[in-house]
Amino acid sequence: MSEVPDFVLYEHAVGYALLKIKEFEDAALISSEVETAISNVQKFCGIVKMHAFEPFRNTENALENCNSISEGIAHSDLVNFLEANLPKKKKVIVGISDSRLSGSLQEQVSIIKPVFGGVNTEILRGVRVHFEHLARELPHHSLNKAKISLGHSYSRAKAKEQCGSFQVKFDVHRVDNMIIQSIALLDMLDKDINLFGMRIREWYSYHYPELFKVVPDQYKYIKCAVTILDRNKIGEDEEMSNKLMAIVEDEEKVAEILETARTSMGMDISDLDLMNIERFATRVASLSEYRQRLHEYIKDRMGACAPSLCALIGEQVGARLISHAGSLTNLAKYPASTVQILGAEKALFRALKSRTNTPKYGLLFHSSFIGRASAKNKGRISRFIANKCTIASRIDCFSEVPVPTFGEHLREQVEERLKYFETGQVPQKNIDVMTKAQDEAEGVKEKVLKKKKKAAKKAKKAAEEAVVEEEAVEETPKKKKKRASEVVEEEQENVEEEKPKKKKKKAAKVEDDE
């Protein structure tokens, strides 16, 4: 049986607490008495009483002490607290919650004899339950807040340490949340634009039904409809052919549009209807243009966040994989077999339930490689692409400076595998390709780092210039605007000065007359 402690050390989120234990005549009774007292506050407060308490100075100090305790190291604050509040006549038995911390304290504090386990565990459990009653002087509402705050700070610090061990540094340009939101918006825009385009086609076809056959492209059709509007007035506008040429970029089609407009079988519609068609078509055209800009934005983001994955299967398929996985880190953790059927979960479970063939691909079906493969090789090539996607995502996720070099070489491997399935030409070995890619990537990384340094210097210089300009603007004295009352007073003074002059002139005239 472990020794009965004289004091117990309790580490709380707000500070260190030293609690005195009641003396027992029979040490064997303490464990049973503590167990029964835990459920009763009054009994437990009779056994354990607060002896000393030292709060942490601030949140940073609390986190520092918490890290030391978690590693089993006695912080200087804890050592000073024990030396100041424990009796120095003899060695005092102090109950400690952690065996590593008790060993560290025994080395640094000579006046204590730390003990661990046994009845100490039960006493500390009771202290944890009834701490609010033991520390009555502390505000109870702040105890829970302190626990939550310290817990968040500790978790955040540990997460940063783990990221540092993988050599991943936080960079605003590598945030994959923006890619997830952007690709979801792109899919929504595709559906909406297709729906709106069909509505415009049906609406405008009452007036000019032949236009869709001449211009089947949706965006160009909308732009042509906005340009032409009333087909009966197409001959009145001399620059109509130039406007249509800028949209269609084909002289034959422009001539065909002008000809079909004159001989169209469509009905005449009012100016009010044409005005509504024009408004709606203009908005759909602006949505289509925004969709193109959004696609470019996704391309740039994927180039910064996951360049190898983007180079391997394209920005859209790569962004959809990241979105479906939840993040690039989650995608990097997935095995190749999961990546292969990512997006086809319903089909997989349906096949397992009905005991039929499982799906060969999910989101990877949108890749151009699977479309180029023959029917019998689609499953093989999808498995190979999934394997390469897993490698690319891991390189992108855990590289300090991600570059597209590995993705380009992985893409070449997929091309070689397609040729192997078609012609039987043996592809290169993976180790040779990766060695070559690694050598090339070193040179590319140096260039990328140089560009980042130059960009950082430019940004710093621009910020300094902006600060100097602001200081110069603040130093220049601003002219105070005169109040309306001051202006009125000045006008009155001027009038009073002019009156005596007029009187003098009148007096001079009178003298001349005499």
Side-chain angles (χ1 to χ4, degrees):
M1 184 180 174
S2 63
E3 293 180 87
V4 179
D6 301 317
F7 295 90
V8 168
L9 176 68
Y10 178 63
E11 308 92 7
H12 196 271
V14 291
Y16 292 117
L18 192 65
L19 300 111
K20 188 170 178 58
I21 310 299
K22 175 188 169 185
E23 291 184 6
F24 287 88
E25 294 178 0
D26 190 359
L29 297 172
I30 186 170
S31 58
S32 59
E33 196 165 335
V34 168
E35 284 178 9
T36 53
I38 284 174
S39 58
N40 192 327
V41 182
Q42 293 178 351
K43 281 186 180 181
F44 190 80
C45 290
I47 297 170
V48 180
K49 289 185 179 180
M50 182 70 73
H51 178 71
F53 181 80
E54 186 178 348
F56 296 124
R57 293 188 296 275
N58 48 40
T59 312
E60 290 78 12
N61 182 240
L63 180 61
E64 191 180 335
N65 279 273
C66 182
N67 287 327
S68 299
I69 290 165
S70 66
E71 291 168 9
I73 299 167
H75 196 270
S76 57
D77 293 345
L78 176 58
V79 173
N80 295 334
F81 170 66
L82 292 173
E83 287 178 348
N85 293 289
L86 286 172
K88 298 175 183 178
K89 294 179 181 179
K90 58 177 182 177
K91 277 205 171 186
V92 184
I93 302 171
V94 180
I96 309 293
S97 59
D98 187 14
S99 60
R100 292 182 300 166
L101 183 62
S102 65
S104 178
L105 282 170
Q106 194 166 11
E107 291 175 4
Q108 295 189 44
V109 186
S110 58
I111 59 173
I112 70 166
K113 182 183 178 183
V115 290
F116 167 75
V119 74
N120 299 308
T121 309
E122 291 298 318
I123 294 169
L124 285 167
R125 186 163 68 89
V127 171
R128 198 176 296 113
V129 173
H130 303 300
F131 186 74
E132 290 182 2
H133 298 279
L134 291 165
R136 290 176 184 176
E137 296 177 0
L138 294 173
H140 295 170
H141 65 275
S142 65
L143 296 177
N144 289 328
K145 286 183 180 178
K147 284 180 184 177
I148 293 166
S149 176
L150 184 60
H152 287 177
S153 302
Y154 182 74
S155 301
R156 204 178 295 118
K158 284 294 176 187
K160 283 181 182 177
E161 285 178 15
Q162 288 175 0
C163 288
S165 64
F166 286 121
Q167 295 181 347
V168 177
K169 293 182 180 178
F170 180 74
D171 186 1
V172 290
H173 299 292
R174 294 184 65 185
V175 179
D176 50 9
N177 296 333
M178 304 302 163
I179 293 170
I180 294 167
Q181 298 299 330
S182 301
I183 196 65
L185 178 59
L186 189 76
D187 291 338
M188 285 178 67
L189 280 175
D190 285 337
K191 290 177 184 177
D192 293 342
I193 289 166
N194 287 334
L195 188 66
F196 294 155
M198 288 172 64
R199 183 64 54 212
I200 290 168
R201 196 190 313 152
E202 288 179 12
W203 201 352
Y204 192 65
S205 291
Y206 289 120
H207 179 61
Y208 188 2
E210 294 84 4
L211 181 62
F212 181 67
K213 292 179 182 177
V214 182
V215 188
D217 183 71
Q218 188 167 269
Y219 177 69
K220 290 180 179 179
Y221 176 85
I222 293 166
K223 296 292 284 183
C224 287
V226 172
T227 306
I228 297 166
L229 285 177
D230 192 353
R231 60 177 174 77
N232 298 321
K233 297 177 182 178
I234 199 168
E236 297 175 8
D237 193 351
E238 295 176 358
E239 295 184 358
M240 181 61 70
S241 58
N242 294 330
K243 291 177 183 177
L244 292 172
M245 185 64 189
I247 298 166
V248 181
E249 298 176 352
D250 190 351
E251 291 182 4
E252 292 180 3
K253 281 191 176 182
V254 171
E256 193 175 351
I257 289 167
L258 295 172
E259 182 62 30
T260 52
R262 295 188 189 95
T263 60
S264 177
M265 298 294 291
M267 60 182 275
D268 292 337
I269 54 177
S270 65
D271 292 338
L272 182 63
D273 296 331
L274 284 171
M275 185 175 66
N276 279 294
I277 291 170
E278 183 186 9
R279 284 178 182 173
F280 183 47
T282 306
R283 294 199 175 188
V284 177
S286 65
L287 269 179
S288 299
E289 288 163 7
Y290 172 67
R291 193 257 178 213
Q292 291 173 1
R293 291 196 298 273
L294 184 65
H295 180 263
E296 290 298 321
Y297 167 75
I298 291 170
K299 193 174 181 180
D300 293 340
R301 272 283 169 225
M302 282 294 291
C305 182
S308 292
L309 190 64
C310 181
L312 175 60
I313 53 168
E315 61 277 355
Q316 283 199 36
V317 181
R320 285 193 177 93
L321 286 173
I322 292 170
S323 176
H324 203 83
S327 67
L328 181 62
T329 309
N330 290 349
L331 184 64
K333 291 175 183 177
Y334 285 163
S337 57
T338 305
V339 174
Q340 184 182 349
I341 57 166
L342 209 62
E345 289 83 1
K346 285 184 180 179
L348 173 67
F349 291 117
R350 196 188 307 120
L352 292 172
K353 190 176 180 181
S354 58
R355 295 184 180 180
T356 54
N357 293 332
T358 54
K360 297 174 184 175
Y361 31 70
L363 292 169
L364 292 178
F365 177 75
H366 300 288
S367 173
S368 59
F369 297 117
I370 292 174
R372 286 161 54 191
S374 59
K376 66 176 183 178
N377 294 324
K378 283 186 186 293
R380 293 178 183 177
I381 200 67
S382 67
R383 188 164 59 250
F384 190 78
I385 292 169
N387 184 14
K388 299 304 172 188
C389 284
T390 307
I391 294 169
S393 62
R394 288 171 186 173
I395 290 168
D396 289 330
C397 184
F398 302 117
S399 293
E400 191 174 352
V401 183
V403 290
T405 313
F406 291 99
E408 290 164 3
H409 282 273
L410 291 170
R411 189 181 181 88
E412 287 175 11
Q413 280 190 294
V414 178
E415 295 280 0
E416 287 176 0
R417 186 53 61 105
L418 276 171
K419 284 182 185 177
Y420 171 71
F421 288 146
E422 291 171 5
T423 61
Q425 184 180 348
V426 180
Q428 299 179 61
K429 288 184 178 180
N430 188 53
I431 190 168
D432 297 335
V433 176
M434 287 293 104
T435 306
K436 188 179 175 184
Q438 196 168 3
D439 295 338
E440 288 182 18
E442 292 298 326
V444 177
K445 281 179 184 178
E446 289 177 5
K447 291 179 182 177
V448 170
L449 287 171
K450 283 180 182 178
K451 283 182 181 178
K452 283 185 177 180
K453 284 180 182 177
K454 284 182 181 178
K457 282 182 181 178
K458 283 183 180 178
K460 191 177 180 181
K461 194 179 282 185
E464 288 173 357
E465 288 174 359
V467 170
V468 170
E469 286 177 5
E470 285 178 5
E471 289 175 354
V473 170
E474 288 174 1
E475 285 174 4
T476 53
K478 294 181 180 178
K479 292 181 179 178
K480 293 182 179 179
K481 291 184 178 179
K482 293 180 179 179
R483 294 178 183 175
S485 60
E486 292 176 1
V487 172
V488 170
E489 287 175 4
E490 284 182 5
E491 287 178 356
Q492 287 176 355
E493 288 174 1
N494 293 334
V495 169
E496 288 173 359
E497 287 175 2
E498 287 174 0
K499 280 180 181 178
K501 288 180 181 178
K502 288 180 181 179
K503 287 179 181 178
K504 285 179 182 179
K505 285 180 181 178
K506 285 180 181 178
K509 281 183 180 180
V510 169
E511 287 175 1
D512 292 338
D513 291 340
E514 288 177 355

